[in-house]
Amino acid sequence: MSNKSSPRASSNRKERTRRKPVRASVPASTRRPEQPNAPTTLGRRLRQYLPSIVIPQLVIVLIVTVLCLAAIGGTGAPMAYLPGSIGSAWLAVHGAPLRYDGVTLGILPLLPVMGVIALLAARVRAAIRSRVSVADLFVLVSLTAATSLTLSAIALFMVGDASTVYPVELPPVAPALLTPLAVHGVAFAVGMGTVLWRALARRYKVPEFVVASAQSASRLLPVLLGAAGAAFLVCLAAGHERVGDLIEEFPVLSTGGAVAIGVLSLLYLPNAAAAALGVLMGGSFGYADAEASLFAVDNVAFPPLPLFGAIPGEAAAWAPALMLVPAAIVIYWAVSHVLRARASLLYVFATAAWLAAFCLVLTLLSGGAAGAYGWVGVNPGTFPLLAFAWVAVPGAIAWGVLRARQGGVDKQAEVEEPVGPEETGPEETPERDEPEVTEPEPEEAETEGTETEDEEEVKPEGGGSTKWVPPETQG
């Protein structure tokens, strides 16, 4: 009996002795988290997105309630003031107008409004962190609008109920409902982020420069506001004597009153920065049918708020030189975003239009009526137009310089290397891959699930049969 094994037996032995597949180990810190399944029905979308919209608004209500309780407890006022105080405070932190004893107060501190926008925008950004569909965005927008209108209506009811007993009065209903809604809309737009806006623009065939210019304007405005705020603080420090005169208008000012005035001044500091930006761009700040600008100042009595100490009694001869502050920022933007980036003229004018729109919203939120003083704030008719001109003119000049340079380079290239009739034009630049607003796709297979074999299959050579045939014996 022969001890030799057949080829089939040898192949089977190789298959039995083949090593097991090796699984790659991935550290837990670098492992991709599994995304939850995207909601497919209205009920699931409501359950998923309702906490992201309602919880931050309930947090605002809780903060307002605590502050009202502290104020009532600190002043010794009766607790019956609490409902009306909560309703008024809710409207105030959203910039909605208030009425007391027949006096309308439409200019509210802008710092709490900025805090509300930041809180809601952060929660919206967290809710749409993964890929979302258009239906998800519609549900989020509907929830934002519904909760805003509901809570504002409740606040109006509380104020109206208290107006029958206390001097607080029901403010105009339309501004009281629409102003918080506009604030929540701004927060939602900010929370969506640039990536999602680009995806929506690509989905609905909106030109790319529209979103790019909005992003550029949204980054330019805070820089301008920061520079204007710094200039305002310098003017306020230079007018410290006028600040002291305004504080002396209070006949009796306790320590608590001084702290309250200081806190109120800090809350109104963003309003002052917005007004200073309008003045630095050549506009005017209006109060009590008077105006103050870099060229002329109407000397009237100011409200007893220390921030008005930054307005001098008359305009200095060197005051127009302060326009160099926004000019330097805008020129730098034109050089970096237009000349060096080779932007189009449409991008320039779109950025100017977006900045004008943002300045209009900022003007309406930072200014308003203040009783007998009338409109207090920067002129809402001229500020947006000036903002448009301040960006459009330097941007157009930078674009003209860019076109002149490109024309010189093209002429030099034609002289050195004339383009033949058979040569093709410039290659088209590939489009950028941007995320699409669709339902989440299933994740790719993880590294742990891939199996590799260490040996290849043994294939017969020459395409012959694998059946073993015994050797022929020689006769």
Side-chain angles (χ1 to χ4, degrees):
M1 185 175 180
S2 175
N3 293 329
K4 295 181 179 180
S5 60
S6 65
R8 181 183 295 274
S10 177
S11 177
N12 293 337
R13 189 179 296 110
K14 286 183 178 181
E15 293 179 359
R16 287 194 302 269
T17 59
R18 185 175 297 168
R19 290 182 296 174
K20 295 182 179 180
V22 180
R23 297 179 181 269
S25 59
V26 180
S29 59
T30 60
R31 192 176 301 168
R32 292 176 57 187
E34 295 184 0
Q35 298 181 356
N37 295 330
T40 56
T41 63
L42 179 60
R44 292 182 179 179
R45 288 188 176 97
L46 291 175
R47 286 193 297 270
Q48 178 170 342
Y49 297 125
L50 188 61
S52 300
I53 302 300
V54 174
I55 289 178
Q57 307 221 26
L58 293 180
V59 170
I60 297 173
V61 173
L62 180 61
I63 294 174
V64 165
T65 304
V66 171
L67 292 178
C68 291
L69 283 172
I72 291 175
T75 58
M79 292 300 296
Y81 285 177
L82 184 60
S85 301
I86 294 175
S88 300
W90 167 265
L91 297 176
V93 297
H94 290 86
L98 304 175
R99 283 185 62 86
Y100 291 96
D101 281 337
V103 177
T104 301
L105 181 62
I107 175 171
L108 279 302
L110 193 57
L111 188 60
V113 178
M114 296 171 59
V116 171
I117 292 176
L119 176 61
L120 297 180
R123 295 309 306 162
V124 170
R125 190 179 298 111
I128 60 176
R129 184 168 16 185
S130 58
R131 301 180 67 181
V132 293
S133 65
V134 177
D136 296 333
L137 292 178
F138 178 77
V139 170
L140 284 169
V141 171
S142 301
L143 288 174
T144 302
T147 52
S148 173
L149 293 174
T150 301
L151 292 176
S152 299
I154 294 174
L156 281 176
F157 174 78
M158 296 171 70
V159 173
D161 183 66
S163 64
T164 58
V165 181
Y166 303 105
V168 63
E169 296 181 11
L170 187 68
V173 177
L177 292 176
L178 296 181
T179 303
L181 182 63
V183 170
H184 293 175
V186 171
F188 190 87
V190 173
M192 286 179 61
T194 307
V195 176
L196 187 54
W197 279 115
R198 288 183 183 274
L200 286 172
R202 187 174 181 179
R203 177 184 179 90
Y204 293 105
K205 309 301 181 182
V206 177
E208 184 180 355
F209 75 88
V210 175
V211 180
S213 59
Q215 180 184 9
S216 179
S218 64
R219 292 179 178 179
L220 180 61
L221 182 58
V223 178
L224 291 170
L225 284 174
F232 173 82
L233 291 177
V234 171
C235 295
L236 185 64
H240 60 279
E241 295 181 357
R242 294 187 297 271
V243 173
D245 295 338
L246 289 173
I247 295 178
E248 288 179 357
E249 292 185 8
F250 293 94
V252 178
L253 187 62
S254 61
T255 303
V259 172
I261 292 177
V263 172
L264 192 63
S265 299
L266 290 177
L267 295 178
Y268 274 104
L269 194 58
N271 303 62
L277 178 58
V279 172
L280 292 180
M281 285 187 170
S284 60
F285 175 79
Y287 54 94
D289 296 331
E291 292 184 348
S293 66
L294 297 177
F295 309 97
V297 175
D298 296 332
N299 193 2
V300 297
F302 298 107
L305 188 66
L307 294 181
F308 285 97
I311 302 178
E314 58 181 2
W318 52 266
L322 293 174
M323 299 176 71
L324 294 174
V325 175
I329 297 174
V330 174
I331 291 173
Y332 176 80
W333 170 86
V335 172
S336 59
H337 288 75
V338 180
L339 187 60
R340 295 178 182 175
R342 299 181 178 181
S344 64
L345 189 60
L346 286 175
Y347 170 83
V348 173
F349 286 112
T351 303
W354 278 114
L355 184 65
F358 295 159
C359 288
L360 178 60
V361 175
L362 180 64
T363 303
L364 297 177
L365 289 177
S366 62
Y373 290 95
W375 174 267
V376 177
V378 68
N379 192 326
T382 58
F383 185 27
L385 297 178
L386 289 171
F388 180 89
W390 272 82
V391 173
V393 173
I397 295 174
W399 178 83
V401 173
L402 174 64
R403 293 292 296 175
R405 287 184 178 181
Q406 289 178 347
V409 172
D410 293 342
K411 290 181 179 179
Q412 184 178 1
E414 289 179 1
V415 173
E416 294 179 355
E417 296 182 2
V419 180
E422 297 180 358
E423 295 184 8
T424 59
E427 297 180 358
E428 296 182 357
T429 56
E431 297 182 357
R432 298 179 181 176
D433 294 332
E434 294 184 355
E436 298 180 358
V437 186
T438 56
E439 295 292 341
E441 298 178 358
E443 296 184 0
E444 299 178 357
E446 299 290 339
T447 309
E448 295 182 5
T450 58
E451 300 181 357
T452 58
E453 296 185 0
D454 298 334
E455 297 180 9
E456 298 179 355
E457 282 189 19
V458 180
K459 297 182 178 179
E461 296 181 359
S465 175
T466 58
K467 182 178 181 181
W468 178 73
V469 180
E472 296 181 357
T473 57
Q474 298 180 356

